[in-house]
Amino acid sequence: MEEPAAPHHGRPGQRDLTTGPIGSALLMFALPTLASNVLQSLNGSINAIWVGRFLGERALAATSNANIIMFLMFSAVFGFGMAATIIVGQSWGRRDVDAARRAFGSAIGLVLAASIVVAALGWTFAPEILAALATPAEAFQPALDYLRVIFLALPASMLLVLMFMGLRGTGDSVTPLWFMALCVVIDAGMNPLLIAGYGPFPRMGIAGSATATLIANIVALAALVAWIRWRDLPLRLKGAELRYILPSSALVRMILGKGLPIGAQMLVLSTSALAMVGLVNRNGIDTVAAYGIVQQLWGYVQMPAMAIGAAVSAMAAQNIGAGRWDRVTRITRSGLLYNVAITGVAVALVLTFDTAIIGLFIPITSPALPIAQDISLIATWGFIMFGGTMVLFGVVRANGAVWGPLAILTISMFPVRFGVAVALTPLLGPDALWWSFPAGSAVNVALAALYYRYGPWRAGKLLVPEEHCEERSRADIEPGGGLKPAT
């Protein structure tokens, strides 16, 4: 097997995140990720505009309920990908390319299998799930039509996200941007064609929007796989390396051990969101539609925090793998400062231009518009605190600490957020639901800061399966042995 080039040489879009100025490296890594996240949110917003304009508030409310459920399904398998990405980042930091490929291949196998199972269960039990959410009767059938097609897209969309995460773990945040753009162009472009049945396309209504998403994810995934192989990117699997998709028992234990708590964090978020949807649904179709629109706005507001958190996590993982603990604290500080500045600007823009932005989704005379403005004014600023949590959790997870963030998130979402929503509703009415968001975020970031400062996360070991260490040890003493880390 050929000896790879050092990870920081000759690869388009990649960055060595273990040397050089931290602030500029963090920003240059985060910007393509931010652009990718903005494109993803823009795609959802454009699709919501098509649905709202062509099919009205009833269909828009249906997609809002269905998208929350998809986030729940996504959460069930997302943790495996995040765990593998941490291993990829640490391996890349210590120049162990073979370990990165093993982790990447293992994640592909696990995520593919899990997403197929989840998609099948979701398709089967979609009516029961919507009923449990108290989905309004007038939105039930559109939501079911939309949701079942979206479930078919889950395996392709999960693998696409996984590959994006793996590439970022090696310092490449540019390649995911181009293929996210491809996915968005196809999805947004095909939405009106399949909803309204223009030209040779069938008129599918709300199911057409979901079908456009399905096609876009499959095409983008196939194109990305072809690109990785053609450009021979470091995480490509070929020849004997294809067996990495059937993971070893050690890697399975490691990915499951770290991935299940991370997935549980996502499940806490999504079940909290589902509980909130259940409360929102009891306030009528206009409030449901308004909440769905504001969620579109929040998608943009949280994108800087998500991008900075991903950049911080990738940088921290590589530096931990390289033994550069002196840089980890500085990475955290830079991430927090960037979050306040960039997320703060996003919040200010959304609150300043809320009428014009909300008016893109529904007519200016719609009764849902003032409700959406009220929700945005009360809750949007809390995403600055959310961003601080993303940075702190990103750093501690980079060293494999997953149980502390899970406990913190559980406390802030249920005893705090859901408790505030229920307890204050008799006093504030529907506004209690919106105030629960900044209340939960405040507790979340406070506990995350305490865990970062005093928690035991720094004592964690590098994520290297024992059997891989044994293989590497034999290779080091056997002439012509296995792949050695580049230096």
Side-chain angles (χ1 to χ4, degrees):
M1 189 178 296
E2 75 278 10
E3 181 166 327
H8 55 286
H9 291 308
R11 298 294 187 185
Q14 288 177 357
R15 292 182 172 274
D16 178 7
L17 304 177
T18 64
T19 60
I22 287 174
S24 59
L26 177 61
L27 188 62
M28 294 307 295
F29 184 85
L31 285 177
T33 304
L34 174 59
S36 180
N37 291 342
V38 168
L39 281 175
Q40 187 175 27
S41 285
L42 182 63
N43 182 47
S45 297
I46 292 172
N47 293 349
I49 290 171
W50 290 129
V51 170
R53 291 294 184 179
F54 278 107
L55 303 173
E57 282 94 339
R58 183 171 69 101
L60 194 61
T63 61
S64 174
N65 277 261
N67 286 333
I68 291 292
I69 295 168
M70 282 313 301
F71 183 71
L72 173 63
M73 299 299 103
F74 186 90
S75 304
V77 293
F78 177 79
F80 300 151
M82 179 62 74
T85 301
I86 295 170
I87 302 173
V88 167
Q90 289 191 359
S91 301
W92 203 250
R94 64 178 183 272
R95 308 298 189 259
D96 190 345
V97 181
D98 189 57
R101 289 175 181 163
R102 286 172 181 264
F104 186 62
S106 298
I108 289 174
L110 287 172
V111 167
L112 179 60
S115 61
I116 290 173
V117 171
V118 170
L121 292 174
W123 172 280
T124 303
F125 296 105
E128 289 79 8
I129 296 171
L130 290 171
L133 281 177
T135 302
E138 59 269 36
F140 189 93
Q141 189 58 48
L144 180 60
D145 294 341
Y146 180 86
L147 183 60
R148 278 188 156 159
V149 179
I150 284 292
F151 270 120
L152 296 178
L154 184 65
S157 63
M158 279 302 312
L159 288 178
L160 192 62
V161 169
L162 172 63
M163 290 187 174
F164 288 169
M165 294 165 64
L167 289 167
R168 290 180 184 128
T170 67
D172 182 359
S173 60
V174 175
T175 299
L177 171 60
W178 300 128
F179 287 89
M180 175 58 71
L182 173 64
C183 187
V184 168
V185 168
I186 296 172
D187 194 356
M190 293 196 68
N191 250 267
L193 302 179
L194 294 175
I195 289 174
Y198 289 127
F201 296 97
R203 183 183 180 89
M204 300 177 65
I206 195 171
S209 178
T211 302
T213 299
L214 170 64
I215 294 171
N217 279 285
I218 291 174
V219 172
L221 175 63
L224 179 57
V225 170
W227 177 264
I228 290 173
R229 290 181 62 85
W230 179 55
R231 297 303 300 267
D232 196 31
L233 296 185
L235 291 184
R236 59 86 181 120
L237 302 176
K238 63 182 181 181
E241 293 167 340
L242 291 172
R243 71 180 186 274
Y244 295 165
I245 295 176
L246 299 175
S248 65
S249 57
L251 267 171
V252 168
R253 288 193 300 270
M254 180 169 291
I255 292 176
L256 289 178
K258 300 300 181 183
L260 288 176
I262 295 174
Q265 293 172 39
M266 299 291 289
L267 287 171
V268 167
L269 285 172
S270 54
T271 51
S272 172
L274 287 172
M276 188 62 63
V277 166
L279 296 177
V280 172
N281 283 342
R282 289 166 172 79
N283 289 275
I285 195 70
D286 290 330
T287 301
V288 174
Y291 184 59
I293 293 167
V294 174
Q295 284 182 308
Q296 294 288 333
L297 305 187
W298 288 348
Y300 289 103
V301 172
Q302 71 182 356
M303 285 305 106
M306 300 286 286
I308 294 167
V312 165
S313 185
M315 289 188 70
Q318 286 198 20
N319 281 274
I320 290 169
R324 297 297 308 272
W325 279 95
D326 57 305
R327 292 169 57 87
V328 173
T329 300
R330 292 155 55 200
I331 290 169
T332 307
R333 186 182 304 116
S334 295
L336 291 171
L337 291 174
Y338 278 133
N339 166 68
V340 171
I342 301 175
T343 304
V345 169
V347 168
L349 289 173
V350 166
L351 293 181
T352 301
F353 300 104
D354 60 343
T355 301
I357 298 172
I358 294 169
L360 294 173
F361 298 91
I362 51 177
I364 202 73
T365 56
S366 171
L369 189 141
I371 300 174
Q373 290 177 307
D374 185 50
I375 298 171
S376 181
L377 181 63
I378 291 174
T380 301
W381 63 275
F383 281 94
I384 298 174
M385 295 182 290
F386 164 81
T389 303
M390 291 296 297
V391 170
L392 295 169
F393 280 0
V395 173
V396 301
R397 277 199 297 249
N399 202 36
V402 292
W403 292 103
L406 174 58
I408 291 169
L409 200 60
T410 303
I411 292 169
S412 63
M413 290 298 103
F414 284 100
V416 178
R417 176 179 291 180
F418 195 67
V420 166
V422 172
L424 295 185
T425 293
L427 179 64
L428 300 178
D431 282 353
L433 306 181
W434 324 135
W435 278 112
S436 71
F437 284 92
S441 295
V443 172
N444 209 12
V445 72
L447 293 178
L450 289 173
Y451 184 76
Y452 174 83
R453 178 64 179 84
Y454 300 107
W457 64 275
R458 295 174 180 83
K461 298 179 180 179
L462 290 180
L463 303 182
V464 186
E466 293 179 4
E467 64 187 41
H468 181 65
C469 292
E470 293 172 1
E471 291 177 7
R472 292 298 302 271
S473 297
R474 288 195 296 270
D476 289 341
I477 62 174
E478 294 173 4
L483 179 68
K484 296 183 176 63
T487 56

